[in-house]
Amino acid sequence: MQERAKTDIQSAQERNATAAQEAAKTFKKAAEELKKANVAQEEAERKLKENIQPLVTPTPEELCTAKLLAQYREGLLHVAVAGVAGGGKSSLINAFRGLHNEDIGSAATGLTVTTMAITRYPNPNVEYPLIWYDIPGAGTLEIPSWQYFNAQGLYVFDCIIVLFDNRFTMTDIAILTNCRRFKIPTYVVRSKADQHIRNIMNDMGCDSNDDESEDQKKLYQAARQQFIQQTRQSVKDTLENANMPDQRVYIVSNETMIDVVKRKQAVKVIDEIELLNELIQETQTRRLRAAQKAAEEAKRAQAAREEAERQLRDGTRPVVTPTPEEYSTFRASMQHTAGFFHVAISGIAGSGKSSLVNALRGKHNMDLDAAAVGVNETTLVVARYPDPNPSSRFVWYDVPGAGTLKIPDWKYFNDQGLFVFDCIIVVVNNRFTATDVAILSNARRFGIPAFIIRSKADQHIRNLMKDIGYDSDDEDGNKASYFARARDQYVAETIRSIKTNLQEANLPDQPVYLVSNVALQATVTGKSPKKILDEVKLLTDLASTAQKHV
C-alpha cells in the first residue's frame, strides 16, 4: 500500500515537473513573440517619424488588372513616362512621337495638371513597336507621392522614363527604388534643356536673341556646359545620398528630339540621339526576347500536346495549372466577396446538384427563386445563389454537370474555375465516377475543402425496399421494418463503394454524407424531419469549415 502511494506521489511529481516545463516553454515563447511585436511596433513608429513609406507588393489580381488597363501586348515595348507634376511628361511624349504640342493627336499639355489618368499613345513609326504612356504627375493633391508607383500600376511596364525639370526629388528616387525591386529598366531624363540653357545665358548677361553671333555662340557653349555639369552632379549626389547606384541622366530638348525623330539635321544636340538609340535598342532586344519566348512556348506547347495525346491514349487526363489571369477572371465572374464562404456544388450531370442547392438554401424546387431543375441539363453556366438568410455568410454556386457534350469531364475542374472556390461539394447519385475522383484530386492540389454527398437518399432507399420485397399495397404494418433494412443496406453499400473508389484512386478516405433533399430542406428551415440520415451532420460540418475560413 505504501509502495503504491509512493509511486503515485512520484508520478504526480513527474507530471507537475512536466507541466512546469511546458508552462515555462509557453511563457518563453509568448515573451519572444511579445518582444518581436514590440520591435516591429518600434520600427513602424521610427519609419513614420522619418516619413519612410511602406513598400506594397501588388497582388496577382492587381497585376492582371493593370495589364488590362494598359492594353499590354507581348512583343511591344511599353514605356511609361513618369515623374512629378509639371515635369513636362506630355510634351516629351509628343516629341518622342515627332509631334509638336499643338499638333492633332498630341498629348494634352498646359500650366495646370492636364493628365488625370494614364493615357496610351502608340508610336506613329511602325518600324519601332513602342507604346508611350503619359502617367499623371506625382505630388499633386490627386496623386500622393508615396503611393505613386503602385497607384499608377507602374510595375507592369517594360521600361520607365523618370522625367524631371528643375530638380531631382525623393519622388523620383522612390520610382527608381521600386523599379529596382521589379527589375524594370529606367532612364533618368531632364527635359527642357533649351529653356534652362537660355536662362543660364541670361544670368551670364546675355541680352540678345541673335544666336548666330560669335559671342552668343561662345556664351551658349559655356551655359550648355554649366547646365550639363550641374545636372549630372546634382543627380549623382541625390542618388548617392539615397544609397542608390549611380546612373546616367539624359539631358534633352523637346524641339531637338522632334528633329531627331523626324531624322532632320539637329544642331543643338545633347543626349537626344543616344536616348532614342537606347530605347530603340531596348525595343529590338524586347522583340528578340519575344521571338525566343514564342519559340520556347511553341516547343513547350508541342511537347505538352504530345504528352496530352499520350495521356489520352493511356486514359490519363492532363493536369493544368491556371494562370493568374484565369484566377482573376473567375473570381470576378463569380463575384467573390471577402468575408463570405463560396461553395461550389459540382459533379456529373443529372446527379441532383440544382435540387441540392435549393435544399441547402431551404427552398423547394418549385419556389420562385429556386435553381432550375429538370430531366434535361438545365445548368449551362455557373449560377450564383446567395443564402436567403441575411445573417448567413454562405454563397451557393450551381455548377454545370460534367460528362455532357457541353462540358467534357476531363476539363471540368479548370473550365468551371473550381480552383477559386472556398469549398467544393461533389454530388454523387448512382455511382462514384472518375469525374468525381478528378474533382477531389484537384481540390487536394489547391487545398480546397471537399465534401462528398450522395443525394436522393429517400429515392434510393425506396427502391431498395422494393428490391427486398416491400409491397406498398400490403397492409401488414411492416413498412418501418423494410425501411430500416433498406436504409442500413443503402448506408453500408454507399460507404463501402466510396471507400473502395477512393483507395483505387490513391486518395485518402473521407466521409460521405447521405442526404435526402426533403429532410435537408426541412432541417435548414428549422423543422425536425422524421427520416434523417446525415443532414444535420452535413450542415454542422459545413458551418464549422466556413467558420475556420471566414
Side-chain angles (χ1 to χ4, degrees):
M1 190 76 174
Q2 289 178 346
E3 285 296 325
R4 183 174 178 182
K6 186 177 180 182
T7 302
D8 290 344
I9 292 170
Q10 187 175 357
S11 298
Q13 289 174 340
E14 289 174 355
R15 286 195 299 273
N16 289 338
T18 302
Q21 289 175 355
E22 291 297 326
K25 286 180 183 177
T26 303
F27 179 79
K28 184 179 179 182
K29 186 176 180 181
E32 289 173 353
E33 292 294 331
L34 180 61
K35 185 178 179 181
K36 288 179 184 176
N38 287 335
V39 169
Q41 183 178 348
E42 290 169 4
E43 177 65 10
E45 290 172 353
R46 181 188 69 79
K47 286 184 175 181
L48 284 173
K49 287 176 184 176
E50 296 177 9
N51 200 30
I52 299 174
Q53 303 298 344
L55 294 176
V56 182
T57 301
T59 64
E61 289 80 6
E62 288 171 329
L63 281 167
C64 181
T65 301
K67 280 196 170 187
L68 286 173
L69 289 173
Q71 301 176 51
Y72 190 98
R73 287 175 53 199
E74 293 295 338
L76 301 179
L77 185 72
H78 305 79
V79 184
V81 181
V84 297
K89 295 181 293 298
S90 301
S91 296
L92 181 62
I93 285 178
N94 291 335
F96 276 132
R97 300 173 67 232
L99 299 174
H100 293 92
N101 289 343
E102 63 274 10
D103 289 345
I104 296 173
S106 64
T109 58
L111 293 176
T112 58
V113 179
T114 54
T115 305
M116 303 304 295
I118 294 177
T119 312
R120 185 180 191 269
Y121 296 98
N123 200 53
N125 187 348
V126 294
E127 183 182 349
Y128 305 119
L130 294 110
I131 306 292
W132 305 99
Y133 291 84
D134 194 357
I135 311 295
T140 67
L141 291 175
E142 290 84 4
I143 313 290
S145 58
W146 71 275
Q147 293 181 351
Y148 185 71
F149 191 91
N150 275 49
Q152 299 303 325
L154 296 184
Y155 40 76
V156 301
F157 293 100
D158 303 318
C159 166
I160 294 177
I161 290 176
V162 181
L163 182 68
F164 72 101
D165 176 12
N166 292 308
R167 57 181 57 86
F168 199 58
T169 67
M170 293 311 295
T171 298
D172 304 313
I173 289 291
I175 297 171
L176 292 174
T177 302
N178 278 290
C179 286
R180 281 175 59 80
R181 285 178 62 214
F182 288 91
K183 296 182 173 57
I184 301 171
T186 55
Y187 297 86
V188 178
V189 178
R190 186 172 189 185
S191 64
K192 309 178 186 177
D194 49 354
Q195 297 177 26
H196 291 297
I197 293 172
R198 173 63 63 181
N199 291 337
I200 293 174
M201 288 175 68
N202 291 337
D203 292 341
M204 290 178 170
C206 172
D207 57 1
S208 172
N209 291 323
D210 183 9
D211 292 339
E212 297 302 318
S213 69
E214 286 302 318
D215 288 342
Q216 284 292 93
K217 288 180 180 178
K218 288 181 182 178
L219 201 59
Y220 172 80
Q221 288 300 327
R224 178 182 185 275
Q225 191 63 28
Q226 179 180 324
F227 173 64
I228 291 172
Q229 287 178 347
Q230 287 177 346
T231 299
R232 298 203 194 286
Q233 189 62 46
S234 173
V235 172
K236 182 181 178 68
D237 292 344
T238 306
L239 289 172
E240 192 175 291
N241 291 335
N243 294 318
M244 294 281 290
D246 191 24
Q247 73 177 87
R248 178 174 181 176
V249 54
Y250 295 84
I251 301 170
V252 302
S253 157
N254 293 336
E255 287 298 322
T256 304
M257 181 63 77
I258 291 173
D259 289 341
V260 170
V261 169
K262 290 186 172 182
R263 298 178 182 176
K264 293 182 180 179
Q265 186 66 38
V267 179
K268 297 178 178 179
V269 175
I270 303 179
D271 295 325
E272 292 86 356
I273 294 174
E274 290 177 87
L275 174 58
L276 200 59
N277 285 340
E278 288 281 348
L279 289 167
I280 291 171
Q281 180 63 43
E282 190 71 39
T283 304
Q284 292 169 340
T285 302
R286 169 74 49 174
R287 184 183 281 175
L288 179 61
R289 284 182 196 150
Q292 291 172 340
K293 184 179 179 181
E296 290 170 1
E297 287 179 351
K299 187 176 179 180
R300 284 197 295 269
Q302 179 62 28
R305 189 180 300 111
E306 292 172 358
E307 175 63 12
E309 289 172 354
R310 182 193 66 76
Q311 290 179 332
L312 286 171
R313 286 195 300 270
D314 296 345
T316 309
R317 300 305 187 184
V319 173
V320 182
T321 301
T323 64
E325 289 79 7
E326 288 172 326
Y327 267 106
S328 179
T329 299
F330 276 109
R331 282 173 72 90
S333 66
M334 65 176 268
Q335 301 174 52
H336 190 284
T337 308
F340 284 82
F341 194 62
H342 308 82
V343 184
I345 316 297
S346 66
I348 64 169
S351 57
K353 296 182 299 300
S354 301
S355 295
L356 182 64
V357 168
N358 292 334
L360 286 165
R361 298 175 66 238
K363 299 290 181 180
H364 295 287
N365 288 342
M366 294 297 105
D367 288 347
L368 288 176
D369 56 348
V373 297
V375 175
N376 297 321
E377 183 184 2
T378 54
T379 306
L380 298 177
V381 294
V382 176
R384 183 180 191 270
Y385 295 96
D387 200 279
N389 183 352
S391 65
S392 173
R393 313 307 289 172
F394 281 86
V395 182
W396 309 97
Y397 292 82
D398 192 0
V399 181
T404 68
L405 291 174
K406 300 179 182 67
I407 312 292
D409 59 350
W410 67 279
K411 295 171 65 177
Y412 185 71
F413 193 91
N414 277 51
D415 277 8
Q416 299 306 316
L418 296 184
F419 44 79
V420 301
F421 289 97
D422 303 318
C423 175
I424 297 174
I425 288 175
V426 180
V427 184
V428 182
N429 182 12
N430 292 311
R431 57 181 58 85
F432 198 62
T433 68
T435 299
D436 304 317
V437 168
I439 297 170
L440 292 171
S441 298
N442 277 293
R444 279 177 58 78
R445 282 180 60 218
F446 289 92
I448 302 171
F451 289 74
I452 301 172
I453 296 179
R454 188 171 187 190
S455 63
K456 309 178 185 178
D458 45 358
Q459 298 178 25
H460 292 297
I461 292 172
R462 207 158 36 241
N463 292 337
L464 280 174
M465 287 173 66
K466 293 178 181 177
D467 290 342
I468 60 178
Y470 173 69
D471 186 349
S472 58
D473 293 331
D474 291 344
E475 298 181 0
D476 55 4
N478 288 331
K479 182 177 180 180
S481 174
Y482 276 107
F483 175 82
R485 285 174 56 196
R487 182 191 59 195
D488 293 345
Q489 181 179 332
Y490 170 69
V491 171
E493 287 179 354
T494 300
I495 292 174
R496 183 170 58 251
S497 173
I498 298 293
K499 184 180 183 70
T500 301
N501 279 279
L502 290 173
Q503 286 177 343
E504 291 175 351
N506 293 317
L507 287 170
D509 192 23
Q510 69 176 87
V512 54
Y513 298 84
L514 309 178
V515 302
S516 155
N517 292 335
V518 173
L520 184 61
Q521 188 273 341
T523 304
V524 169
T525 53
K527 299 173 185 175
S528 300
K530 294 180 181 178
K531 297 177 181 178
I532 195 166
L533 290 169
D534 297 325
E535 292 82 2
V536 173
K537 180 170 173 53
L538 170 64
L539 295 174
T540 302
D541 290 349
L542 278 171
S544 175
T545 304
Q547 190 174 19
K548 293 175 185 175
H549 182 276
V550 176

